[in-house]
Amino acid sequence: MSATPPPVPPQVPAPHDVAPPGPTADAGYRDVPAAEGGNAGRGWWDANAVEYLDEHGAFLGAADFCWCPEGLRERDARLLGDVAGLRVLEVGAGAAQCSRWLATQGAHVVATDVSRGMLAAGTALDRATGVRVPAVQADARRLPFADDVFDVAFTSFGAIPFVPDADAIHREVARVLRPGGTWTFSVTHPTRWAFPDDPSEHGLTANRSYFDRRPYVETDHAGRVVYAEYHRTLGDHVREVVAAGLELLDVVEPEWPTDNTEVWGGWGPVRGAYLPGTAIFRTRLPG
């Protein structure tokens, strides 16, 4: 157990400067150059941070830890265990709502995100809540931390879906974890890829192969990729974490609570009664 917080590097810009995304002109499932798709997320989240938080901020809370649209909260699930006194890293933190809650539980937490817009929103939430979380702008595939620094790392729907090389994220997290440290991440449940992104009955009928790994891509009028989201099967996720030297401890598939009426993209009570929407992988670095 670590009694002191990890060193926080100075704010550094993410490695790829990108222009703000233009209006979406086309969308679909197709292959795009890895660098172009993998770097689109920064510009998209910069441009949409305020709108995203206006729509989902009340559900997420300003200093609360929500794992998924099903509404599973860390205060109930305890997937990270007792974090008091531990060094904790949040990857793809957005506005750092989860990190802020962990700080109230006694964790020494650092939040990272590739989007300056999201981190700016986090600074505003720091002021509003009175809970300040150290935050660093960084690509999850190139974390600016020394080896063996953190006891716990996690992400709630951050980073992994938005890059073609999520294996690089797992390797980086494994590098900065101390032996015995844990890495827990929630992602869209892989089975959802086969179904339309529709929360109504229409979304209950599969219309695409589960094994089609072409990303969902949005482009602007110039043909530039402005958004990309990548699919991995259940087996893909397992192979990637094992290849990074991590042990798989558990896969949690939250059920949709009957009292949750939230509709969030393709998530909602109609589909949630029949199909899993989220998968949470709990892993550990041996040692």
Side-chain angles (χ1 to χ4, degrees):
M1 177 179 294
S2 302
T4 58
V8 179
Q11 274 282 11
V12 292
H16 300 284
D17 290 326
V18 292
T24 300
D26 187 41
Y29 297 85
R30 59 182 177 277
D31 291 320
V32 293
E36 192 174 352
N39 295 329
R42 179 184 174 195
W44 193 91
W45 287 106
D46 280 350
N48 292 279
V50 172
E51 180 182 352
Y52 176 85
L53 292 172
D54 284 347
E55 183 175 358
H56 302 298
F59 181 78
L60 294 173
D64 199 0
F65 192 144
C66 182
W67 278 108
C68 52
E70 286 83 357
L72 182 67
R73 308 279 166 171
E74 176 60 12
R75 64 173 177 265
D76 301 315
R78 313 303 292 184
L79 299 181
L80 303 186
D82 182 3
V83 297
L86 298 186
R87 296 177 171 185
V88 181
L89 172 67
E90 182 173 10
V91 174
Q97 296 95 328
C98 299
S99 286
R100 212 167 282 109
W101 182 83
L102 289 172
T104 69
Q105 307 301 303
H108 302 299
V109 61
V110 177
T112 68
D113 199 276
V114 74
S115 166
R116 192 182 300 274
M118 272 295 186
L119 293 177
T123 299
L125 291 180
D126 282 352
R127 292 193 297 267
T129 62
V131 182
R132 181 185 175 277
V133 172
V136 178
Q137 186 180 13
D139 189 315
R141 297 167 291 181
R142 291 176 290 277
L143 294 171
F145 302 102
D147 298 353
D148 306 331
V149 174
F150 294 97
D151 303 296
V152 173
F154 76 95
T155 187
S156 174
F157 276 80
I160 291 172
F162 307 109
V163 298
D165 50 346
D167 55 327
I169 297 176
H170 298 305
R171 289 196 303 269
E172 274 292 271
V173 170
R175 179 184 65 79
V176 303
L177 278 177
R178 64 164 180 80
T182 61
W183 165 229
T184 304
F185 59 95
S186 62
V187 292
T188 301
H189 197 288
T191 60
R192 290 244 350 248
W193 198 252
F195 296 84
D197 196 27
D198 186 327
S200 72
E201 289 83 355
H202 176 69
L204 294 174
T205 302
N207 66 349
R208 185 171 54 257
S209 171
Y210 170 78
F211 301 102
D212 182 354
R213 293 173 175 82
R214 291 176 300 168
Y216 169 77
V217 175
E218 296 178 2
T219 56
D220 62 15
H221 289 281
R224 185 179 54 155
V225 177
V226 296
Y227 180 87
E229 188 168 337
Y230 292 83
H231 167 59
R232 291 164 184 89
T233 67
L234 188 65
D236 292 340
H237 282 294
V238 172
R239 282 185 289 274
E240 287 179 347
V241 298
V242 171
L246 297 156
E247 297 176 338
L248 181 64
L249 301 177
D250 194 10
V251 180
V252 179
E253 300 167 294
E255 295 186 36
W256 194 274
T258 56
D259 61 348
N260 182 1
T261 59
E262 186 85 4
V263 173
W264 189 326
W267 287 266
V270 174
R271 282 183 49 160
Y274 293 94
L275 294 172
T278 298
I280 307 174
F281 294 80
R282 296 181 60 242
T283 76
R284 177 176 58 204
L285 185 67

